[in-house]
Amino acid sequence: MKPFAYDRATDADGAVATVTADPDAMFVAGGTNLVDHLKLGLVTPEHLVDVSRLPLDQVTEREGGGLRIGATVRNADLAAHPLVRQLYPVLSHALLAGASGQLRNVATTGGNLLQRTRCAYFQDVTAACNKRDPGSGCAALSGWTRYHAILGTSSDCLAAHPSDMAVAMVALDAEVVVLGPDGERRVALEHFHRLPGDRPDLETVLEHGELITAVEIPPLAMARRSAYRKVRDRASYAFALVSVAAALDVQDGVVRDVRLALGGVGTRPWRARVAEEALVGGPATEAAFAEAARAELAAASPTDDNAFKIPMTRSTVVAVLSGLAGEETR
Ligand code: SF4
């Protein structure tokens, strides 16, 4: 590992100023992803600014409803928080589906949003990878793509976004609060991660030096009945082949409102807007859920390795929405 300077930040403005002034500086919080990347030589910062002790570790109710989640709230604490479990069970379920207990004890909310892809070629410094080394090519295009995305891909990159937490948050219309040298701004999580296009190395809309300070989730009554289902190769500590986050409001057999997002299939946490539109005002039936999933997946471009994700996504969407619709009528 290349040597680097290390500072522990005591205030957010100071941390932002330090990193903004140094193009070779990076923030570190839980370090569960970044430290691996330092060891693998994927990133080689000269200076790390540790933001893990900043006073951003609280979950608070917002005036008017919803939650503000500090950027350094640990994944385990967020999953167990009584307000999260009560108001947004989908978020608690998604967090508990991610990583391992040890990792969840350390990983932070802000860091979870910024975790990088697990594409094997990205993590192998000897392989061509446009995300790690822009313009070098993409070894995955002729390689092993079982875990890769089928939605939002480009001819330069088809890496899937690995987060479970972000899939639930994007379904809940979360906003990311960002502090930069010119002050604070908010970004809808749905637009926080970029599609790869011809610049897969640019993963989010953050500028160098900008720090995530919180994630805010608006009030959503129907989210009290929400669910996350993750399909994976083994029961724990595995990334999603397909995951579905959903909240559903059904009255008299008709879908009044729905939130739906997909993981494991998108190059970013994938809000399934096409499916949502197809569902609202229609019958809450398995056939309608399957048809909505089909509409969302019409834009998919799978490889031979991951074409199984199309029927898997469809059946997972049907299972999750049918479960929620069943709870509504009980
Ligand atoms: Fe790199 Fe993306 Fe290709 Fe993976 S899929 S090798 S991350 S460019």
Side-chain angles (χ1 to χ4, degrees):
M1 194 191 299
K2 193 180 144 201
F4 52 84
Y6 171 87
D7 281 318
R8 181 171 289 165
T10 52
D11 70 287
D13 287 322
V16 167
T18 302
V19 173
T20 302
D22 182 352
D24 293 317
M26 293 178 77
F27 298 115
V28 62
T32 54
N33 195 210
L34 180 63
V35 172
D36 282 349
H37 290 178
L38 293 172
K39 291 178 184 169
L40 291 167
L42 303 186
V43 290
T44 52
E46 301 277 347
H47 187 181
L48 286 187
V49 176
D50 183 349
V51 293
S52 64
R53 308 288 175 91
L54 293 179
L56 302 171
D57 60 348
Q58 298 298 310
V59 178
T60 50
E61 283 187 271
R62 294 164 71 211
E63 214 173 296
L67 293 182
R68 180 181 173 97
I69 301 161
T72 63
V73 173
R74 308 288 168 166
N75 287 180
D77 293 336
L78 187 57
H81 196 284
L83 286 172
V84 174
R85 294 177 59 186
Q86 181 190 351
L87 301 176
Y88 308 103
V90 63
L91 178 55
S92 183
H93 297 168
L95 283 155
L96 293 174
S100 64
Q102 292 93 332
L103 287 168
R104 292 195 295 271
N105 284 339
V106 179
T108 63
T109 303
N112 191 316
L113 293 180
L114 295 176
Q115 66 179 299
R116 305 191 71 189
T117 183
R118 264 48 179 203
C119 171
Y121 307 102
F122 171 74
Q123 304 205 60
D124 173 359
V125 291
T126 66
C129 174
N130 289 321
K131 187 182 280 297
R132 175 172 30 78
D133 184 10
S136 64
C138 171
L141 290 174
S142 57
W144 187 73
T145 52
R146 176 173 171 79
Y147 278 90
H148 286 68
I150 58 174
L151 291 165
T153 59
S154 75
S155 56
D156 286 323
C157 181
L158 55 155
H161 194 273
S163 174
D164 293 291
M165 181 197 80
V167 178
M169 285 182 169
V170 84
L172 295 170
D173 292 315
E175 276 192 340
V176 186
V177 184
V178 173
L179 181 67
D182 300 323
E184 195 172 273
R185 69 182 177 117
R186 283 173 161 65
V187 184
L189 180 57
E190 189 176 3
H191 305 299
F192 180 78
H193 298 95
R194 296 172 185 262
L195 293 173
D198 60 1
R199 289 298 307 272
D201 54 309
L202 302 176
E203 296 177 352
T204 72
V205 298
L206 286 182
E207 301 288 341
H208 180 73
E210 285 190 313
L211 175 68
I212 297 174
T213 54
V215 175
E216 293 191 342
I217 302 182
L220 183 68
M222 70 174 175
R224 285 175 182 259
R225 195 174 287 121
S226 58
Y228 187 76
R229 184 173 294 196
K230 178 173 178 178
V231 183
R232 47 188 157 172
D233 279 330
R234 59 185 181 206
S236 71
Y237 198 27
F239 291 94
L241 292 166
V242 168
S243 69
V244 173
L248 185 67
D249 179 5
V250 175
Q251 195 164 40
D252 300 328
V254 173
V255 176
R256 286 207 311 188
D257 203 357
V258 61
R259 299 287 185 281
L260 189 65
L262 307 174
V265 293
T267 50
R268 63 184 180 189
W270 197 264
R271 180 70 179 265
R273 294 272 183 195
V274 175
E276 287 180 353
E277 223 168 276
L279 286 165
V280 173
T285 60
E286 286 192 13
F289 300 152
E291 190 47 46
R294 224 173 265 124
E296 185 71 42
L297 293 163
S301 27
T303 64
D304 290 347
D305 280 349
N306 66 20
F308 71 90
K309 289 189 177 187
I310 290 185
M312 184 180 276
T313 305
R314 200 166 53 231
S315 56
T316 310
V317 167
V318 171
V320 172
L321 292 179
S322 299
L324 292 170
E327 282 180 32
E328 286 263 353
T329 53
R330 266 204 289 275

